[in-house]
PDB file of all heavy atoms in Angstrom:
ATOM      1  N   SER A   1     -12.019   3.637   5.059  1.00  0.00           N
ATOM      2  CA  SER A   1     -10.886   4.262   4.408  1.00  0.00           C
ATOM      3  C   SER A   1      -9.590   3.511   4.701  1.00  0.00           C
ATOM      4  O   SER A   1      -9.503   2.700   5.632  1.00  0.00           O
ATOM      5  CB  SER A   1     -10.753   5.727   4.834  1.00  0.00           C
ATOM      6  OG  SER A   1     -10.490   5.828   6.218  1.00  0.00           O
ATOM      7  N   LEU A   2      -8.600   3.809   3.899  1.00  0.00           N
ATOM      8  CA  LEU A   2      -7.265   3.246   4.006  1.00  0.00           C
ATOM      9  C   LEU A   2      -6.278   4.395   4.148  1.00  0.00           C
ATOM     10  O   LEU A   2      -6.442   5.430   3.498  1.00  0.00           O
ATOM     11  CB  LEU A   2      -6.947   2.442   2.744  1.00  0.00           C
ATOM     12  CG  LEU A   2      -5.552   1.847   2.607  1.00  0.00           C
ATOM     13  CD1 LEU A   2      -5.413   0.628   3.510  1.00  0.00           C
ATOM     14  CD2 LEU A   2      -5.282   1.469   1.151  1.00  0.00           C
ATOM     15  N   SER A   3      -5.253   4.220   4.982  1.00  0.00           N
ATOM     16  CA  SER A   3      -4.252   5.253   5.181  1.00  0.00           C
ATOM     17  C   SER A   3      -2.855   4.692   4.998  1.00  0.00           C
ATOM     18  O   SER A   3      -2.622   3.489   5.143  1.00  0.00           O
ATOM     19  CB  SER A   3      -4.373   5.866   6.575  1.00  0.00           C
ATOM     20  OG  SER A   3      -5.592   6.556   6.739  1.00  0.00           O
ATOM     21  N   LEU A   4      -1.936   5.576   4.685  1.00  0.00           N
ATOM     22  CA  LEU A   4      -0.517   5.249   4.643  1.00  0.00           C
ATOM     23  C   LEU A   4       0.239   6.363   5.346  1.00  0.00           C
ATOM     24  O   LEU A   4       0.328   7.476   4.821  1.00  0.00           O
ATOM     25  CB  LEU A   4      -0.028   5.097   3.201  1.00  0.00           C
ATOM     26  CG  LEU A   4       1.418   4.642   3.046  1.00  0.00           C
ATOM     27  CD1 LEU A   4       1.579   3.194   3.514  1.00  0.00           C
ATOM     28  CD2 LEU A   4       1.890   4.769   1.604  1.00  0.00           C
ATOM     29  N   GLN A   5       0.746   6.078   6.531  1.00  0.00           N
ATOM     30  CA  GLN A   5       1.584   7.014   7.255  1.00  0.00           C
ATOM     31  C   GLN A   5       3.010   6.835   6.783  1.00  0.00           C
ATOM     32  O   GLN A   5       3.576   5.744   6.898  1.00  0.00           O
ATOM     33  CB  GLN A   5       1.486   6.774   8.763  1.00  0.00           C
ATOM     34  CG  GLN A   5       2.354   7.698   9.600  1.00  0.00           C
ATOM     35  CD  GLN A   5       1.928   9.135   9.490  1.00  0.00           C
ATOM     36  OE1 GLN A   5       0.748   9.440   9.578  1.00  0.00           O
ATOM     37  NE2 GLN A   5       2.899  10.022   9.294  1.00  0.00           N
ATOM     38  N   MET A   6       3.594   7.889   6.256  1.00  0.00           N
ATOM     39  CA  MET A   6       4.910   7.848   5.646  1.00  0.00           C
ATOM     40  C   MET A   6       5.857   8.711   6.470  1.00  0.00           C
ATOM     41  O   MET A   6       5.709   9.929   6.522  1.00  0.00           O
ATOM     42  CB  MET A   6       4.850   8.355   4.205  1.00  0.00           C
ATOM     43  CG  MET A   6       3.765   7.672   3.373  1.00  0.00           C
ATOM     44  SD  MET A   6       3.405   8.546   1.826  1.00  0.00           S
ATOM     45  CE  MET A   6       4.916   8.264   0.925  1.00  0.00           C
ATOM     46  N   ASN A   7       6.824   8.085   7.109  1.00  0.00           N
ATOM     47  CA  ASN A   7       7.816   8.783   7.915  1.00  0.00           C
ATOM     48  C   ASN A   7       9.198   8.605   7.308  1.00  0.00           C
ATOM     49  O   ASN A   7       9.427   7.712   6.499  1.00  0.00           O
ATOM     50  CB  ASN A   7       7.809   8.256   9.352  1.00  0.00           C
ATOM     51  CG  ASN A   7       6.500   8.478  10.062  1.00  0.00           C
ATOM     52  OD1 ASN A   7       5.808   9.469   9.829  1.00  0.00           O
ATOM     53  ND2 ASN A   7       6.144   7.554  10.952  1.00  0.00           N
ATOM     54  N   SER A   8      10.120   9.455   7.730  1.00  0.00           N
ATOM     55  CA  SER A   8      11.504   9.397   7.251  1.00  0.00           C
ATOM     56  C   SER A   8      11.564   9.334   5.734  1.00  0.00           C
ATOM     57  O   SER A   8      12.285   8.523   5.148  1.00  0.00           O
ATOM     58  CB  SER A   8      12.227   8.202   7.876  1.00  0.00           C
ATOM     59  OG  SER A   8      12.230   8.278   9.291  1.00  0.00           O
ATOM     60  N   LEU A   9      10.823  10.200   5.100  1.00  0.00           N
ATOM     61  CA  LEU A   9      10.717  10.176   3.642  1.00  0.00           C
ATOM     62  C   LEU A   9      12.047  10.491   2.977  1.00  0.00           C
ATOM     63  O   LEU A   9      12.829  11.300   3.475  1.00  0.00           O
ATOM     64  CB  LEU A   9       9.650  11.156   3.183  1.00  0.00           C
ATOM     65  CG  LEU A   9       8.220  10.656   3.374  1.00  0.00           C
ATOM     66  CD1 LEU A   9       7.237  11.813   3.318  1.00  0.00           C
ATOM     67  CD2 LEU A   9       7.878   9.610   2.313  1.00  0.00           C
ATOM     68  N   GLU A  10      12.268   9.844   1.864  1.00  0.00           N
ATOM     69  CA  GLU A  10      13.486   9.983   1.083  1.00  0.00           C
ATOM     70  C   GLU A  10      13.133  10.435  -0.325  1.00  0.00           C
ATOM     71  O   GLU A  10      12.021  10.198  -0.793  1.00  0.00           O
ATOM     72  CB  GLU A  10      14.228   8.645   1.029  1.00  0.00           C
ATOM     73  CG  GLU A  10      14.550   8.062   2.392  1.00  0.00           C
ATOM     74  CD  GLU A  10      15.006   6.619   2.326  1.00  0.00           C
ATOM     75  OE1 GLU A  10      14.965   6.025   1.226  1.00  0.00           O
ATOM     76  OE2 GLU A  10      15.426   6.091   3.376  1.00  0.00           O
ATOM     77  N   PRO A  11      14.063  11.077  -1.032  1.00  0.00           N
ATOM     78  CA  PRO A  11      13.777  11.458  -2.415  1.00  0.00           C
ATOM     79  C   PRO A  11      13.343  10.286  -3.285  1.00  0.00           C
ATOM     80  O   PRO A  11      12.550  10.475  -4.217  1.00  0.00           O
ATOM     81  CB  PRO A  11      15.113  12.045  -2.889  1.00  0.00           C
ATOM     82  CG  PRO A  11      15.725  12.592  -1.643  1.00  0.00           C
ATOM     83  CD  PRO A  11      15.346  11.620  -0.560  1.00  0.00           C
ATOM     84  N   GLU A  12      13.826   9.099  -2.987  1.00  0.00           N
ATOM     85  CA  GLU A  12      13.451   7.906  -3.736  1.00  0.00           C
ATOM     86  C   GLU A  12      11.989   7.526  -3.560  1.00  0.00           C
ATOM     87  O   GLU A  12      11.476   6.695  -4.315  1.00  0.00           O
ATOM     88  CB  GLU A  12      14.341   6.730  -3.337  1.00  0.00           C
ATOM     89  CG  GLU A  12      15.805   6.877  -3.740  1.00  0.00           C
ATOM     90  CD  GLU A  12      16.593   7.842  -2.856  1.00  0.00           C
ATOM     91  OE1 GLU A  12      16.111   8.171  -1.753  1.00  0.00           O
ATOM     92  OE2 GLU A  12      17.688   8.266  -3.277  1.00  0.00           O
ATOM     93  N   ASP A  13      11.324   8.113  -2.582  1.00  0.00           N
ATOM     94  CA  ASP A  13       9.899   7.872  -2.387  1.00  0.00           C
ATOM     95  C   ASP A  13       9.030   8.714  -3.311  1.00  0.00           C
ATOM     96  O   ASP A  13       7.813   8.529  -3.332  1.00  0.00           O
ATOM     97  CB  ASP A  13       9.502   8.142  -0.937  1.00  0.00           C
ATOM     98  CG  ASP A  13      10.188   7.212   0.042  1.00  0.00           C
ATOM     99  OD1 ASP A  13      10.251   5.992  -0.232  1.00  0.00           O
ATOM    100  OD2 ASP A  13      10.661   7.697   1.095  1.00  0.00           O
ATOM    101  N   THR A  14       9.622   9.627  -4.040  1.00  0.00           N
ATOM    102  CA  THR A  14       8.873  10.483  -4.947  1.00  0.00           C
ATOM    103  C   THR A  14       8.200   9.645  -6.030  1.00  0.00           C
ATOM    104  O   THR A  14       8.860   8.888  -6.743  1.00  0.00           O
ATOM    105  CB  THR A  14       9.788  11.524  -5.586  1.00  0.00           C
ATOM    106  OG1 THR A  14      10.296  12.391  -4.568  1.00  0.00           O
ATOM    107  CG2 THR A  14       9.038  12.350  -6.620  1.00  0.00           C
ATOM    108  N   ALA A  15       6.893   9.768  -6.141  1.00  0.00           N
ATOM    109  CA  ALA A  15       6.129   8.979  -7.101  1.00  0.00           C
ATOM    110  C   ALA A  15       4.670   9.397  -7.041  1.00  0.00           C
ATOM    111  O   ALA A  15       4.247  10.125  -6.141  1.00  0.00           O
ATOM    112  CB  ALA A  15       6.244   7.481  -6.796  1.00  0.00           C
ATOM    113  N   LEU A  16       3.908   8.904  -8.003  1.00  0.00           N
ATOM    114  CA  LEU A  16       2.460   8.978  -7.943  1.00  0.00           C
ATOM    115  C   LEU A  16       1.978   7.753  -7.182  1.00  0.00           C
ATOM    116  O   LEU A  16       2.283   6.620  -7.571  1.00  0.00           O
ATOM    117  CB  LEU A  16       1.871   9.012  -9.355  1.00  0.00           C
ATOM    118  CG  LEU A  16       0.373   9.258  -9.472  1.00  0.00           C
ATOM    119  CD1 LEU A  16       0.017  10.652  -8.966  1.00  0.00           C
ATOM    120  CD2 LEU A  16      -0.075   9.099 -10.926  1.00  0.00           C
ATOM    121  N   TYR A  17       1.248   7.976  -6.115  1.00  0.00           N
ATOM    122  CA  TYR A  17       0.802   6.897  -5.242  1.00  0.00           C
ATOM    123  C   TYR A  17      -0.658   6.567  -5.513  1.00  0.00           C
ATOM    124  O   TYR A  17      -1.516   7.451  -5.532  1.00  0.00           O
ATOM    125  CB  TYR A  17       0.974   7.297  -3.773  1.00  0.00           C
ATOM    126  CG  TYR A  17       2.394   7.186  -3.289  1.00  0.00           C
ATOM    127  CD1 TYR A  17       3.374   8.062  -3.742  1.00  0.00           C
ATOM    128  CD2 TYR A  17       2.766   6.186  -2.383  1.00  0.00           C
ATOM    129  CE1 TYR A  17       4.682   7.950  -3.315  1.00  0.00           C
ATOM    130  CE2 TYR A  17       4.068   6.075  -1.948  1.00  0.00           C
ATOM    131  CZ  TYR A  17       5.031   6.957  -2.417  1.00  0.00           C
ATOM    132  OH  TYR A  17       6.325   6.848  -1.983  1.00  0.00           O
ATOM    133  N   TYR A  18      -0.919   5.285  -5.710  1.00  0.00           N
ATOM    134  CA  TYR A  18      -2.254   4.794  -6.012  1.00  0.00           C
ATOM    135  C   TYR A  18      -2.780   3.927  -4.882  1.00  0.00           C
ATOM    136  O   TYR A  18      -2.046   3.108  -4.323  1.00  0.00           O
ATOM    137  CB  TYR A  18      -2.253   3.937  -7.280  1.00  0.00           C
ATOM    138  CG  TYR A  18      -1.856   4.653  -8.539  1.00  0.00           C
ATOM    139  CD1 TYR A  18      -0.532   4.664  -8.968  1.00  0.00           C
ATOM    140  CD2 TYR A  18      -2.810   5.293  -9.321  1.00  0.00           C
ATOM    141  CE1 TYR A  18      -0.168   5.304 -10.138  1.00  0.00           C
ATOM    142  CE2 TYR A  18      -2.460   5.938 -10.492  1.00  0.00           C
ATOM    143  CZ  TYR A  18      -1.130   5.933 -10.891  1.00  0.00           C
ATOM    144  OH  TYR A  18      -0.769   6.564 -12.055  1.00  0.00           O
ATOM    145  N   CYS A  19      -4.035   4.072  -4.601  1.00  0.00           N
ATOM    146  CA  CYS A  19      -4.766   3.169  -3.735  1.00  0.00           C
ATOM    147  C   CYS A  19      -5.413   2.093  -4.603  1.00  0.00           C
ATOM    148  O   CYS A  19      -5.900   2.388  -5.702  1.00  0.00           O
ATOM    149  CB  CYS A  19      -5.829   3.960  -2.969  1.00  0.00           C
ATOM    150  SG  CYS A  19      -6.939   2.986  -1.945  1.00  0.00           S
ATOM    151  N   ALA A  20      -5.421   0.861  -4.127  1.00  0.00           N
ATOM    152  CA  ALA A  20      -5.971  -0.238  -4.909  1.00  0.00           C
ATOM    153  C   ALA A  20      -6.666  -1.243  -4.004  1.00  0.00           C
ATOM    154  O   ALA A  20      -6.354  -1.360  -2.818  1.00  0.00           O
ATOM    155  CB  ALA A  20      -4.869  -0.925  -5.713  1.00  0.00           C
ATOM    156  N   ALA A  21      -7.594  -1.990  -4.593  1.00  0.00           N
ATOM    157  CA  ALA A  21      -8.330  -3.028  -3.884  1.00  0.00           C
ATOM    158  C   ALA A  21      -8.324  -4.313  -4.696  1.00  0.00           C
ATOM    159  O   ALA A  21      -8.430  -4.282  -5.920  1.00  0.00           O
ATOM    160  CB  ALA A  21      -9.768  -2.580  -3.618  1.00  0.00           C
ATOM    161  N   ARG A  22      -8.193  -5.413  -4.014  1.00  0.00           N
ATOM    162  CA  ARG A  22      -8.238  -6.734  -4.638  1.00  0.00           C
ATOM    163  C   ARG A  22      -9.370  -7.540  -4.044  1.00  0.00           C
ATOM    164  O   ARG A  22      -9.577  -7.509  -2.822  1.00  0.00           O
ATOM    165  CB  ARG A  22      -6.912  -7.472  -4.437  1.00  0.00           C
ATOM    166  CG  ARG A  22      -6.828  -8.768  -5.215  1.00  0.00           C
ATOM    167  CD  ARG A  22      -5.584  -9.554  -4.888  1.00  0.00           C
ATOM    168  NE  ARG A  22      -5.488 -10.717  -5.770  1.00  0.00           N
ATOM    169  CZ  ARG A  22      -4.932 -11.870  -5.456  1.00  0.00           C
ATOM    170  NH1 ARG A  22      -4.377 -12.030  -4.259  1.00  0.00           N
ATOM    171  NH2 ARG A  22      -4.904 -12.865  -6.332  1.00  0.00           N
ATOM    172  N   ARG A  23     -10.063  -8.289  -4.889  1.00  0.00           N
ATOM    173  CA  ARG A  23     -11.161  -9.130  -4.423  1.00  0.00           C
ATOM    174  C   ARG A  23     -10.610 -10.375  -3.738  1.00  0.00           C
ATOM    175  O   ARG A  23     -10.618 -11.478  -4.274  1.00  0.00           O
ATOM    176  CB  ARG A  23     -12.078  -9.510  -5.588  1.00  0.00           C
ATOM    177  CG  ARG A  23     -12.826  -8.326  -6.200  1.00  0.00           C
ATOM    178  CD  ARG A  23     -13.922  -8.792  -7.145  1.00  0.00           C
ATOM    179  NE  ARG A  23     -13.390  -9.516  -8.291  1.00  0.00           N
ATOM    180  CZ  ARG A  23     -13.123  -8.968  -9.470  1.00  0.00           C
ATOM    181  NH1 ARG A  23     -13.369  -7.678  -9.667  1.00  0.00           N
ATOM    182  NH2 ARG A  23     -12.632  -9.713 -10.445  1.00  0.00           N
ATOM    183  N   ALA A  24     -10.102 -10.166  -2.557  1.00  0.00           N
ATOM    184  CA  ALA A  24      -9.569 -11.192  -1.678  1.00  0.00           C
ATOM    185  C   ALA A  24      -9.566 -10.618  -0.275  1.00  0.00           C
ATOM    186  O   ALA A  24      -9.682  -9.394  -0.094  1.00  0.00           O
ATOM    187  CB  ALA A  24      -8.174 -11.618  -2.104  1.00  0.00           C
ATOM    188  N   ARG A  25      -9.374 -11.472   0.739  1.00  0.00           N
ATOM    189  CA  ARG A  25      -9.534 -10.984   2.099  1.00  0.00           C
ATOM    190  C   ARG A  25      -8.438 -11.444   3.059  1.00  0.00           C
ATOM    191  O   ARG A  25      -8.295 -10.855   4.134  1.00  0.00           O
ATOM    192  CB  ARG A  25     -10.890 -11.422   2.658  1.00  0.00           C
ATOM    193  CG  ARG A  25     -12.061 -10.923   1.826  1.00  0.00           C
ATOM    194  CD  ARG A  25     -13.386 -11.451   2.316  1.00  0.00           C
ATOM    195  NE  ARG A  25     -13.729 -10.920   3.641  1.00  0.00           N
ATOM    196  CZ  ARG A  25     -14.931 -10.971   4.166  1.00  0.00           C
ATOM    197  NH1 ARG A  25     -15.928 -11.536   3.503  1.00  0.00           N
ATOM    198  NH2 ARG A  25     -15.150 -10.474   5.373  1.00  0.00           N
ATOM    199  N   ASN A  26      -7.676 -12.450   2.708  1.00  0.00           N
ATOM    200  CA  ASN A  26      -6.715 -13.034   3.618  1.00  0.00           C
ATOM    201  C   ASN A  26      -5.299 -12.575   3.302  1.00  0.00           C
ATOM    202  O   ASN A  26      -4.951 -12.335   2.153  1.00  0.00           O
ATOM    203  CB  ASN A  26      -6.791 -14.551   3.568  1.00  0.00           C
ATOM    204  CG  ASN A  26      -8.189 -15.072   3.851  1.00  0.00           C
ATOM    205  OD1 ASN A  26      -8.813 -15.722   3.012  1.00  0.00           O
ATOM    206  ND2 ASN A  26      -8.693 -14.787   5.042  1.00  0.00           N
ATOM    207  N   TRP A  27      -4.480 -12.496   4.322  1.00  0.00           N
ATOM    208  CA  TRP A  27      -3.187 -11.843   4.189  1.00  0.00           C
ATOM    209  C   TRP A  27      -2.313 -12.469   3.106  1.00  0.00           C
ATOM    210  O   TRP A  27      -1.567 -11.756   2.420  1.00  0.00           O
ATOM    211  CB  TRP A  27      -2.448 -11.809   5.536  1.00  0.00           C
ATOM    212  CG  TRP A  27      -1.905 -13.133   5.998  1.00  0.00           C
ATOM    213  CD1 TRP A  27      -2.508 -14.028   6.819  1.00  0.00           C
ATOM    214  CD2 TRP A  27      -0.635 -13.700   5.651  1.00  0.00           C
ATOM    215  NE1 TRP A  27      -1.709 -15.127   7.010  1.00  0.00           N
ATOM    216  CE2 TRP A  27      -0.560 -14.945   6.310  1.00  0.00           C
ATOM    217  CE3 TRP A  27       0.425 -13.280   4.857  1.00  0.00           C
ATOM    218  CZ2 TRP A  27       0.555 -15.779   6.190  1.00  0.00           C
ATOM    219  CZ3 TRP A  27       1.538 -14.108   4.748  1.00  0.00           C
ATOM    220  CH2 TRP A  27       1.589 -15.333   5.410  1.00  0.00           C
ATOM    221  N   TRP A  28      -2.377 -13.804   2.948  1.00  0.00           N
ATOM    222  CA  TRP A  28      -1.537 -14.446   1.948  1.00  0.00           C
ATOM    223  C   TRP A  28      -1.980 -14.122   0.522  1.00  0.00           C
ATOM    224  O   TRP A  28      -1.238 -14.379  -0.431  1.00  0.00           O
ATOM    225  CB  TRP A  28      -1.496 -15.963   2.153  1.00  0.00           C
ATOM    226  CG  TRP A  28      -2.832 -16.646   2.017  1.00  0.00           C
ATOM    227  CD1 TRP A  28      -3.396 -17.129   0.871  1.00  0.00           C
ATOM    228  CD2 TRP A  28      -3.759 -16.918   3.067  1.00  0.00           C
ATOM    229  NE1 TRP A  28      -4.620 -17.691   1.146  1.00  0.00           N
ATOM    230  CE2 TRP A  28      -4.866 -17.578   2.483  1.00  0.00           C
ATOM    231  CE3 TRP A  28      -3.760 -16.679   4.439  1.00  0.00           C
ATOM    232  CZ2 TRP A  28      -5.963 -17.986   3.237  1.00  0.00           C
ATOM    233  CZ3 TRP A  28      -4.847 -17.088   5.194  1.00  0.00           C
ATOM    234  CH2 TRP A  28      -5.935 -17.736   4.584  1.00  0.00           C
ATOM    235  N   GLN A  29      -3.167 -13.579   0.374  1.00  0.00           N
ATOM    236  CA  GLN A  29      -3.659 -13.131  -0.912  1.00  0.00           C
ATOM    237  C   GLN A  29      -3.387 -11.648  -1.155  1.00  0.00           C
ATOM    238  O   GLN A  29      -3.633 -11.148  -2.254  1.00  0.00           O
ATOM    239  CB  GLN A  29      -5.163 -13.383  -1.023  1.00  0.00           C
ATOM    240  CG  GLN A  29      -5.557 -14.839  -0.912  1.00  0.00           C
ATOM    241  CD  GLN A  29      -7.052 -15.021  -0.845  1.00  0.00           C
ATOM    242  OE1 GLN A  29      -7.696 -14.558   0.096  1.00  0.00           O
ATOM    243  NE2 GLN A  29      -7.617 -15.689  -1.844  1.00  0.00           N
ATOM    244  N   CYS A  30      -2.904 -10.963  -0.149  1.00  0.00           N
ATOM    245  CA  CYS A  30      -2.712  -9.520  -0.203  1.00  0.00           C
ATOM    246  C   CYS A  30      -1.247  -9.153  -0.415  1.00  0.00           C
ATOM    247  O   CYS A  30      -0.762  -8.163   0.144  1.00  0.00           O
ATOM    248  CB  CYS A  30      -3.244  -8.871   1.075  1.00  0.00           C
ATOM    249  SG  CYS A  30      -4.983  -9.197   1.422  1.00  0.00           S
TER     250      CYS A  30
END
């Protein structure tokens, strides 16, 4: 699984949040 801990939330953070995966593995590709 993947998580996103969101602290100090602001009204500007309001949105529909999507989880996504890319067929790559190294940080410069992410």
Side-chain angles (χ1 to χ4, degrees):
S1 63
L2 176 75
S3 295
L4 185 68
Q5 179 65 46
M6 309 165 69
N7 298 327
S8 301
L9 283 162
E10 304 168 354
E12 293 76 16
D13 297 316
T14 296
L16 187 65
Y17 282 70
Y18 297 92
C19 175
R22 188 186 186 211
R23 294 192 297 265
R25 301 175 67 164
N26 304 118
W27 73 266
W28 62 88
Q29 299 172 297
C30 302

